[in-house]
Amino acid sequence: MSHAEGTRGAPDAEAGPAGPGDAARGGATVLVVEDEPSIADVLTIALRFHRFDVMTAGTVREALAAVEHTRPDCALLDVMLPDGDGRALGRELRARQPELGLVFLTARDAPAEVVGALGFGDDYITKPFNIDEVVARIGAVLRRVRPLDVLPQRPPLRYGDLELDETTYVVRRAGGSVQLTPTEYALLRFLVRNGGRVVPKEQLLRHVWNIEHTAESTVVETYISYLRRKLDQVGPPLITTRRGVGYGLA
């Protein structure tokens, strides 16, 4: 039995490393409805790492059965399911639970698809997706539907005068707030987690964008320049370049 199959229909009991007071706060529960087991596994593992409780289902029928027993706080729904439309499932779940957060996963990004998903949902994410962005967007939706003090809490990441709040996804430098996009945040977090080590460009492409290195790709350079522009406004230059190798933090 796969991990995804083993967790279908019930909250995940192994929700990452707990901290003091986690049980009293209670973790937010996310229902993941995705028929591709490998994708469901990746989403489940990432959400568990961030201390969410996770329910999984592979079909509309399984999802409706699961919510009969447990009320999730947010549902992450694939639009195309074997036995129906994820958007129709979202309408049904929202009718049963009006305060439920809804995030849609779709392989199509045509304007009509986006408008259809956002007509009654809270957000949409196109495939292939960046896992950090998925977690960030679910967190943003939950902050709109649940009080912050009941969301999973994680200690901030720090490097010098830089602080990344992994609960609110707020970045501060020298005490001031720095507004980053989800991808910029994911890139900066990966650099911070690697401390002063120079991270090869190929590794950044794999871990932040989930793509393999291509000689003509300039996405890393582009986002490094975005980060520098924002971070250097509130402090001395922070990101260093090792030509022909990659990037690190001063």
Side-chain angles (χ1 to χ4, degrees):
M1 178 179 293
S2 71
H3 177 76
E5 290 170 338
T7 57
R8 282 179 179 165
D12 198 318
E14 300 177 13
D22 279 2
R25 279 195 303 268
T29 298
V30 179
L31 169 64
V32 176
V33 185
E34 166 61 60
D35 65 310
E36 177 57 48
S38 61
I39 296 178
D41 283 348
V42 168
L43 291 168
T44 299
I45 291 169
L47 289 167
R48 288 176 60 201
F49 178 79
H50 288 273
R51 298 182 189 160
F52 290 102
D53 292 326
V54 181
M55 305 162 59
T56 63
T59 65
V60 171
R61 183 177 179 179
E62 288 179 359
L64 292 176
V67 298
E68 291 290 337
H69 307 289
T70 303
R71 290 168 64 90
D73 300 288
C74 182
L76 181 62
L77 310 176
D78 189 3
V79 168
M80 300 180 65
L81 295 168
D83 59 344
D85 189 313
R87 290 164 297 189
L89 171 61
R91 291 190 186 93
E92 174 65 21
L93 295 176
R94 182 62 68 75
R96 298 185 183 193
Q97 188 179 337
E99 72 278 11
L100 177 70
L102 288 178
V103 180
F104 292 98
L105 284 173
T106 175
R108 298 173 292 189
D109 59 359
E113 295 292 329
V114 174
V115 171
L118 292 179
F120 60 93
D122 299 294
D123 205 347
Y124 81 98
I125 300 167
T126 56
K127 298 178 180 179
F129 53 79
N130 174 272
I131 192 63
D132 285 330
E133 182 175 356
V134 173
V135 174
R137 292 198 181 197
I138 288 175
V141 168
L142 283 168
R143 283 191 290 276
R144 295 198 292 267
V145 300
R146 294 191 69 183
L148 183 60
D149 62 355
V150 298
L151 290 178
Q153 305 292 309
R154 301 193 69 215
L157 290 175
R158 291 188 174 90
Y159 187 90
D161 63 355
L162 189 68
E163 179 180 295
L164 282 69
D165 189 320
E166 296 214 90
T167 299
T168 64
Y169 292 89
V170 169
V171 175
R172 295 181 180 86
R173 189 176 189 201
S177 178
V178 181
Q179 300 299 318
L180 300 183
T181 67
T183 301
E184 290 167 351
Y185 180 92
L187 175 57
L188 180 60
R189 180 170 68 173
F190 195 72
L191 290 174
V192 169
R193 284 181 170 173
N194 281 274
R197 187 174 71 86
V198 174
V199 182
K201 176 180 175 179
E202 293 85 352
Q203 191 173 355
L204 291 171
L205 282 169
R206 285 196 302 271
H207 285 269
V208 179
W209 285 272
N210 196 30
I211 59 176
E212 294 299 323
H213 173 70
T214 55
E216 68 276 8
S217 174
T218 60
V219 66
V220 175
E221 290 85 347
T222 299
Y223 275 88
I224 287 289
S225 69
Y226 293 161
L227 278 178
R228 281 179 168 148
R229 189 180 310 153
K230 294 181 177 182
L231 294 172
D232 294 355
Q233 289 179 350
V234 290
L238 180 66
I239 300 176
T240 62
T241 302
R242 180 72 62 83
R243 293 193 180 278
V245 180
Y247 301 90
L249 298 179

